[in-house]
Amino acid sequence: MREPTFAGLVSRWYEHNARDLPWRKPDVSPWAILVSEVMLQQTPVVRVLPAWQAWLDRWPTPAALAQDSPAEAIRMWGRLGYPRRAVRLRDCAVAIVERHGGAVPDRLEQLLALPGVGTYTARAVAAFAYGQRHPVVDTNVRRVVCRAVAGEPDAGPATRPADLVATEELLPVEPAAAALASAAIMELGAVICTARSPRCPACPVESICAWRASGQVAPAGPTRRPQRYAGTDRQVRGLLLGVLREATGPVPHQRLDQVWDDDVQRARALAGLVTDGLVEPVGEASFRLIGDGPPAPVPG
């Protein structure tokens, strides 16, 4: 009898142990999957679940979002973090309507051409929404492949072309089986082969894992720690956006001045929001979310 492959072992485990997440339901739309993939970037599942459902309740199709303003997308994004994703998702919806008649495209090159859709997101949508054979490589997948195949404890900070090649080599030839394996490897990295506390005895590929066979040698360098948030420009940006999200019109500069005591840091954070296309000035002394109302007057 032929020995089970890496993909076969992981896929079998996934079919019995995968988390019950709504974007994995068989009848979920490609648009819903695209929204989930954008929201899940750098954000835990537990925080994404309610935001994803609320977003789709309001904008169940790309056309519905495309008809609304960038400001409303930012408001709906709430406190998920990295709010530029909301504007990019809205830009993506506009492009889907204009270029593809409102349907999320199924070809990888078309997905890659959408605003704000990078290599990971395009491949994830092609695989999980359309059952295609593409290596879908995020941090979790890179870690699993690096440990199980190369015997290394950590795959490094960024995805490389070699990671795509190594992952693709593990996928079955048949597209649907490959898409299942892609989801399974990602899930394995998220819940079993974790960065800090891997649960190797529960891993379906423990017996063939090169890292396990090597004695689980620890990383040579220091373990990466989560980025500090308190007191950073990112925190100040979030506070400023919170005030602007709740406003029904332009917010006077004096109101924003109350958000943070450090004038220099506050001004830097506000300028960053403007540069990132999240906020726009109105006149000389007020600000609002981008696109929140009639076009802002051009200074001069």
Side-chain angles (χ1 to χ4, degrees), residues 172-257:
V173 174
E174 200 275 318
L180 175 63
S182 291
I185 297 170
M186 188 175 299
E187 183 78 345
L188 186 68
V191 302
I192 298 293
C193 192
T194 58
R196 293 172 182 260
S197 303
R199 298 192 290 124
C200 294
C203 180
V205 293
E206 179 191 17
S207 63
I208 59 173
C209 175
W211 186 52
R212 184 72 162 162
S214 73
Q216 291 175 274
V217 179
T223 302
R224 284 176 289 169
R225 298 181 181 277
Q227 292 183 342
R228 180 175 62 92
Y229 179 73
T232 63
D233 284 6
R234 187 172 160 226
Q235 182 187 16
V236 182
R237 284 164 59 102
L239 294 172
L240 292 167
L241 271 182
V243 172
L244 292 162
R245 276 198 307 267
E246 295 170 3
T248 56
V251 177
H253 209 305
Q254 294 91 328
R255 171 67 183 89
L256 296 176
D257 288 346

Side-chain angles (χ1 to χ4, degrees), residues 9-232:
L9 290 169
V10 177
S11 296
R12 187 182 306 164
W13 167 85
Y14 178 81
E15 289 177 322
H16 293 92
N17 296 279
R19 290 169 293 175
D20 183 17
L21 301 176
W23 45 81
R24 291 176 174 168
K25 302 295 184 183
D27 59 345
V28 73
S29 71
W31 169 242
I33 291 174
L34 173 58
V35 172
S36 75
E37 291 298 340
V38 174
M39 287 188 169
L40 285 165
Q41 295 167 17
Q42 299 176 289
T43 307
V45 167
V46 67
R47 294 185 60 204
V48 169
L49 282 167
W52 178 84
Q53 190 59 63
W55 188 280
L56 291 171
D57 286 344
R58 179 166 181 178
W59 299 306
T61 64
L65 177 56
Q67 292 172 359
D68 222 327
S69 69
E72 287 306 303
I74 296 171
R75 284 196 174 94
M76 199 68 183
W77 197 259
R79 298 188 179 277
L80 273 184
Y82 304 99
R84 277 180 290 180
R85 290 181 292 171
V87 177
R88 289 171 180 168
L89 193 50
R90 192 260 178 184
D91 291 342
C92 185
V94 171
I96 289 171
V97 170
E98 293 177 348
R99 303 174 193 174
H100 305 288
V104 177
D106 60 358
R107 289 166 50 189
L108 183 61
E109 61 269 25
Q110 293 176 330
L111 288 164
L112 286 168
L114 294 174
V117 173
T119 297
Y120 166 78
T121 304
R123 292 176 184 275
V125 172
F128 304 147
Y130 294 112
Q132 297 177 10
R133 186 182 188 275
H134 296 289
V136 183
V137 180
D138 70 350
T139 299
N140 291 318
V141 171
R142 289 170 52 243
R143 183 170 57 253
V144 169
V145 174
C146 186
R147 286 176 175 174
V149 177
E152 299 293 336
D154 196 306
T159 301
R160 304 162 300 172
D163 297 319
L164 292 171
V165 173
T167 303
E168 186 170 15
E169 289 177 348
L170 297 174
L171 300 180
V173 174
E174 200 275 318
L180 175 63
S182 291
I185 297 170
M186 188 175 299
E187 183 78 345
L188 186 68
V191 302
I192 298 293
C193 192
T194 58
R196 293 172 182 260
S197 303
R199 298 192 290 124
C200 294
C203 180
V205 293
E206 179 191 17
S207 63
I208 59 173
C209 175
W211 186 52
R212 184 72 162 162
S214 73
Q216 291 175 274
V217 179
T223 302
R224 284 176 289 169
R225 298 181 181 277
Q227 292 183 342
R228 180 175 62 92
Y229 179 73
T232 63

